[in-house]
Amino acid sequence: MAAKENDQIIKENNCETKMGLPCVLEAFNSIFEIGSISNKCCGELVVLGKVCHSALVKRTLGNPLFRDLSAATTIAKSIQTWNNFLALIDSPS
């Protein structure tokens, strides 16, 4: 998917306004670095939605600062992170 398509998805779905900055940073660290995400932020990410999650990850990968990252590995990690969030939300507490 081209960067322009990701930007359009992000704009049309108001992706950048659906999560607070602290949760954005937690999610970023859990996908692009090493970190965990709190239950609160997990809930915010699920509300964000898979379409926004995927578009934001792909847009970040298009940033020259992240050109050394393996896109395939990062996308796989983002999918794993997403699935972990869903399992956490769906599991009884």
Side-chain angles (χ1 to χ4, degrees), residues 1-75:
M1 183 178 292
K4 193 171 187 176
E5 291 172 357
N6 287 320
D7 288 342
Q8 185 175 353
I9 289 168
I10 291 165
K11 184 177 179 181
E12 288 174 357
N13 292 285
N14 296 315
C15 298
E16 294 178 315
T17 62
K18 292 183 177 180
M19 284 180 76
L21 183 58
C23 290
V24 168
L25 294 174
E26 277 189 31
F28 179 90
N29 285 332
S30 75
I31 295 167
F32 291 95
E33 296 177 6
I34 297 174
S36 61
I37 189 164
S38 66
N39 289 349
K40 176 190 176 295
C41 292
C42 175
E44 281 194 32
L45 187 66
V46 171
V47 169
L48 174 72
K50 188 168 177 66
V51 169
C52 284
H53 171 72
S54 295
L56 289 164
V57 168
K58 289 174 184 170
R59 184 178 72 179
T60 302
L61 284 169
N63 184 316
L65 293 172
F66 300 98
R67 69 178 171 263
D68 293 336
L69 292 178
S70 162
T73 301
T74 303
I75 290 171

